[in-house]
Amino acid sequence: MSFKIEPIAGDASFRKFYRLIFKTGTKIAVVSNKEKYKNLNIYSAINSFLRHKKILTPKLYNYNFSKGIIIIEDFGNLSFYKLLKRKNKFFFYKKLVDFLLKIQKIKIDSKIKKINGGIYKLEKYSKKNLFKESNLFFDWYLPLFLSKKKSAIIKKRSNKVLLKIYNKLYFSNSCFVHRDYHAQNLIKVGKKIGVIDNQDALIGNPAYDLASLIDDVRIKTSKKLKNQIYNYYLKKGPKIYRKNSQKFYEDYKILSVQRSLKIIGIFSRLFVRDKKKQYLKFIPYTWKLLEMRMNSKIFSELEMILKKNIPKKFKKIIIY
């Protein structure tokens, strides 16, 4: 069967994507030479799990995990990132919140069947995972500007404070967390929404994916719109979130701060390790989100450490 191959812009992972164009339609080839297990095996297993739960993910057509390739369904190019550039942003955000709530209603079975046999167990979003992610900030971002010794001192002091902050999380790890629930990973497929990039999913706090959506570092939105989206989620979500609205909002802010630290670290790592300098342009806005969410008493110690040790120029600088 003859077909054309068209490369597709990649993401922050080690994967490469190609559109296979047949006379009868298109498919996507995903190729991964590094981290094959997570990027292909686990990705396929979680996609299958979600499809069985009536969540639209790319269908698997063929695979050869040992050679690092899978062939999956093509959802097209109309991501909600493109749609959100239009005027009525709140209209589209409501749809993405409704879809998130649908995902969060899934009955969690931590044991997921792998495509080629065996079981993959979804981890819980433990404090160990939270620190592993936020430590990326101290391990990759700070050394861009500070000595390793000073970076290590700031990390040690900050982690003592972060432990107290993470201990304040109220809602349990009770739902499916995509872990990268933002507009570029959400695709309009006809009248439905499809979700991609599912391989990092965990069982975690319901506020995490909401923070990912609202505080998306790739889309600058007003504080007013952010509040509208948050209030819509609270209105449409389970009553327990409204009953404990202050605690839910605190969880939301904690996880937004944690995620911003992680993202600044990841984008710095992409620059240093993988030579992907294009992600540095998102760091200044991520800093704005971080500082906005730290505007609360529980973050006062962390805010003081960061202000004292990281000059403003480090937050705005973009290295090319």
Side-chain angles (χ1 to χ4, degrees), residues 17 22 52 130:
F17 300 86
F22 301 88
H52 281 106
L130 292 171

Side-chain angles (χ1 to χ4, degrees), residues 204-217:
N205 188 301
Y208 188 92
D209 278 346
L210 180 63
S212 300
L213 178 67
I214 296 174
D215 290 344
D216 184 348
V217 303

Side-chain angles (χ1 to χ4, degrees), residues 46 69 109 229 242-243:
I46 293 175
I69 184 168
D109 183 353
I229 302 162
R242 293 189 293 278
K243 190 177 178 182

